Each structure stands twice: as structure tokens, then as C-alpha cells.
Amino acid sequence: MQADGQARMAVDTGVAGERDADLSTLNTFGLRARAARLLRLRSAEALAAALATAPQQGPRLVLGGGSNLVLTGDFPGTVLKVEIGGRRLLRAEPTAWIVEAGAGENWHDFVRWTLAQGWPGLENLSLIPGTVGAAPIQNIGAYGLELAERFDSLDAVDLDSGAVRSFGLADCDFGYRDSVFKRSPGRWLITAVRFRLPRPWQPVTRYADVARELEARGIEAPSALDISDAVIAIRRRKLPDPAEIGNAGSFFKNPVVEAAACARLLAAHPALPHYPQPDGREKLAAGWLIEQAGWKGRDLGPVGCYEHQALVLVNRGGATGADVQRIAAAIVAEVEARFGVRLEPEPVFV
Ligand code: EPU
């Protein structure tokens, strides 16, 4: 294990780490915060050693790319930064490629690598910020595909007991932006994820934006790379690049309401985008509700509601978690007053 940055030191456990670490560059929102201790984990063995020699006292925070995180203040415990690398084809089955990646691999680089290797299936999830290990936690989904549809299994360490466990699809209990891991924050540290990429490959072009983009490019029978390129173009137009403007992607989940509630809303607002769910309920477009409530492109202090996609909050410079919470609360209140729908935040608050 290695430690980067200043304040490099061997902490009491003999494990190299960093004290009073700056977290502002480790969260894509760019929120200012510090951690009492930061450990960078380059392998599952390093984690096991750290847990064995020093059962962590106080709160723990497992950090991947920090792209779905709102730091509401300094963190008094230990941040475990997952930097476990590696990617390989595990098995070629008649109906699937089984590909494995270390939790610390960059998600988008991994997706493009699978495409270059000739193992398509993740292309709709191109350009999503963050790491491979973070992807199952919120069951990342975009442009007609959810991670759960390409998931095989994963390995995780129970930070309470140190035990290593494998999770199959059913064990993860994936839902919309949800999983068992999201429901027990700080308990599991995911070390590796395996993907099941179906053979033969079939393009997923049901999402209207993707179909439109391919049409505009004159592509009728898209390859996986075409779809990846189309998704990248759409995302670049709509979503701010965290390297340039601090943000955590969609700040709110799209609310799922009963069919009757949706019908009532539609009577008053016929243009409201809504998507039927398998259970008969309807998912509403939170971005539309926020835009109609007048928040798109508006700022409150140093945090803004992004001008090209109202579902995203952006750091205009120097924002803290409290600034984010202030504008989020104002948006929730206004949407609820107007539409009777209560929006829920999507990122993890720490
Ligand atoms: N809309 C508006 N105004 C806005 C934004 C959206 O009217 O400011 C409308 C759009 O016109 C469209 C509908 O809302 O009719 C849906 O918009 P979009 O296709 O942009 O998708 P979204 O529902 O806003 C979700 C995900 C995104 C994902 C896209 C594409 C959530 C919380 N967000 O956004 O995920 O990229 O679909 O699949 O489900 C993320 O989770 O961080 C994320 C970016």
C-alpha cells in the first residue's frame, strides 16, 4: 500500500496512510472537506492486512471515484479509498463473456476496453463517472440499460467482521438506483465485479435520445462502438464534465408514483414525461418537474441547477455541503408545493 500527497506518514498500525487528508479533489462535486485518516487500498490483501492489524475505530467511508457523494462536513473517521486494479476475461461461455475488473478501475475506461476487446454489452453505460466498484452500489443506469442487466457477481469484504463474501445477482437485490450495498452504507467494501456480457450481442436503442442520435448520424445498424459514441455525445451535451464543473450527476431520483397519482398530474400537466414501470406504477421525469418549477439554470449561493439538465446540481466555485443542502431543500419544497411530489436525493450524503 502507498500513500500520496502531503502529511504522508506511517500511522499507528504500521499501514501507510495519510492524516488530516484533503477530500476536495476526491469528490467530483469538489466540496471542501477533510478526513481524519485516509488509507489507499491497492489490493484486497492490503485491505485484509489493514483490517487485521487495526480494526478501524470510529466511522468508515468507502470511497471510489467520489462521483455520487455529498460531503456535508469534515469526516472524523477513516476513508478507505479503493484503488484495486486489474481486468480480464474470466470465461467465454456459449451465451456470455464473463469479464472481471478490480473495483478501483475507472468505469468508462473499463467499458471502452471491453468494446476494444470485442466483448460488447456495456456501451449504453459509457462515460458514467466513477469506478467499477461503485457501479453496483447504486445500480448505475442510463440510456436504456441498468448495470443489473449485465451483472454476474462481485466480491466484497464485510468491514464489520473482515469476512470475504461473493454476491450473485439475487443477493444484490438491485432496484432503481438501489442495492443491498446502498442500504448499508459503510458495511461492504467491494473489491472486484464480474460482468455477464450476452452472446450474441443485441443493440439496446430503445431510449429515444439514443435512437435520435444514431439517426442523426445516419447509422441504421449500429455497432456497440457506434452506440457508445452516440451516448458519449449525448452525455457531453447534457451533463457537465466533473473535471470542469463540480457535480455528482443526477442529484435527484426520478420519482415513482402510483398510476392514479400520475393520471391526476397528467390531467393538469399533459406534457409531463412519465414511464410505466413493471409493477404498474409510473416513473416521472424529475428534471421536467424542476424545470417547470423555475429552477433550471438558477443558482442559490455557490450551487446552481444546471442549465442543460435540471436534475444536476453544480458547484459554481467553493461550495460546501451545506450550500448543496440549502438549494436541494429549496428545490424539493418548490416541486412539492407545485406538484405534490416529494423528490429524493440520489447521491450518498456523508
Ligand atoms: N427533462 C426536462 N428538463 C430537464 C431535464 C429533463 O424537461 O432539465 C425531461 C426531458 O426532456 C425528458 C425527460 O425529462 O423528457 C428525461 O430526461 P433525460 O433523458 O435527460 O433523463 P433523466 O430522467 O433526466 C436519467 C438518469 C440519468 C441518465 C439519463 C439517461 C436518473 C436520476 N437519472 O435522467 O442518470 O443519464 O436518465 O438514461 O435516473 C445519474 O444518475 O447521475 C444520471 C445522469
Side-chain angles (χ1 to χ4, degrees):
M1 204 182 324
Q2 284 173 279
D4 299 337
Q6 358 135 307
R8 186 184 296 205
M9 61 190 303
V11 288
D12 43 354
T13 61
V15 171
E18 198 182 317
R19 278 190 177 149
D20 189 28
D22 179 16
L23 298 179
S24 60
T25 57
L26 300 182
N27 73 102
T28 61
F29 227 131
L31 302 174
R32 284 180 286 133
R34 306 192 75 81
R37 199 159 87 128
L38 172 72
L39 294 181
R40 290 175 189 271
L41 304 166
R42 301 258 156 90
S43 68
E45 294 70 34
L47 169 63
L51 290 179
T53 51
Q56 303 302 319
Q57 302 298 318
R60 283 178 309 245
L61 170 64
V62 180
L63 197 62
S67 57
N68 199 42
L69 184 67
V70 177
L71 293 167
T72 57
D74 289 340
F75 190 70
T78 303
V79 171
L80 301 170
K81 173 95 168 57
V82 182
E83 298 182 349
I84 303 169
R87 48 198 191 183
R88 61 183 171 144
L89 177 69
L90 213 56
R91 283 194 308 281
E93 296 181 359
T95 59
W97 304 104
I98 311 297
V99 181
E100 183 181 69
E105 290 283 333
N106 173 273
W107 173 260
H108 176 67
D109 292 346
F110 170 66
V111 171
R112 294 293 287 196
W113 175 78
T114 57
L115 298 179
Q117 300 297 311
W119 308 320
L122 296 173
E123 54 281 354
N124 294 60
L125 304 178
S126 295
L127 210 63
I128 295 181
T131 57
V132 165
I137 296 176
Q138 55 153 336
N139 183 22
I140 56 170
Y143 302 105
L145 188 73
E146 276 189 355
L147 175 115
E149 297 169 73
R150 297 287 182 265
F151 180 83
D152 179 78
S153 54
L154 61 77
D155 298 331
V157 177
D158 181 345
L159 294 175
D160 291 338
S161 68
V164 177
R165 187 179 147 187
S166 285
F167 287 75
L169 181 63
D171 304 320
C172 297
D173 196 20
F174 288 123
Y176 166 60
R177 296 292 188 275
D178 196 32
S179 72
V180 283
F181 312 105
K182 190 151 178 190
R183 279 169 245 144
S184 330
R187 168 146 186 215
W188 298 100
L189 187 147
I190 295 171
T191 54
V193 185
R194 288 170 291 274
F195 300 87
R196 174 167 286 273
L197 308 176
R199 302 168 74 184
W201 172 78
Q202 301 242 303
V204 177
T205 54
R206 57 179 165 254
Y207 204 89
D209 275 357
V210 176
R212 262 197 303 271
E213 180 70 24
L214 290 168
E215 201 188 316
R217 293 169 172 233
I219 298 170
E220 271 175 32
S223 67
L225 210 53
D226 290 332
I227 294 175
S228 175
D229 290 343
V231 166
I232 290 171
I234 299 165
R235 291 190 72 100
R236 289 215 167 111
R237 276 201 299 273
K238 286 196 172 183
L239 298 166
D241 178 354
E244 286 158 24
I245 307 172
N247 76 91
S250 296
F251 194 85
F252 299 102
K253 291 191 223 176
N254 283 328
V256 180
V257 302
E258 298 302 326
C262 181
R264 274 196 302 278
L265 279 166
L266 280 173
H269 313 280
L272 168 65
H274 59 104
Y275 314 94
Q277 298 302 292
D279 62 3
R281 295 188 298 163
E282 296 274 346
K283 192 190 271 182
L284 310 178
W288 189 92
L289 297 171
I290 296 168
E291 181 171 352
Q292 297 303 308
W295 271 98
K296 193 172 188 169
R298 221 168 109 191
D299 294 355
L300 183 62
V303 182
C305 178
Y306 192 52
E307 40 281 15
H308 304 299
Q309 163 52 293
L311 207 42
V312 179
L313 299 185
V314 292
N315 183 353
R316 305 276 188 210
T320 63
D323 296 320
V324 174
Q325 285 173 306
R326 200 170 311 121
I327 184 171
I331 291 172
V332 169
E334 206 144 324
V335 167
E336 190 164 26
R338 237 154 116 170
F339 300 102
V341 176
R342 192 163 176 84
L343 296 181
E344 279 178 27
E346 203 264 300
V348 174
F349 282 71
V350 172

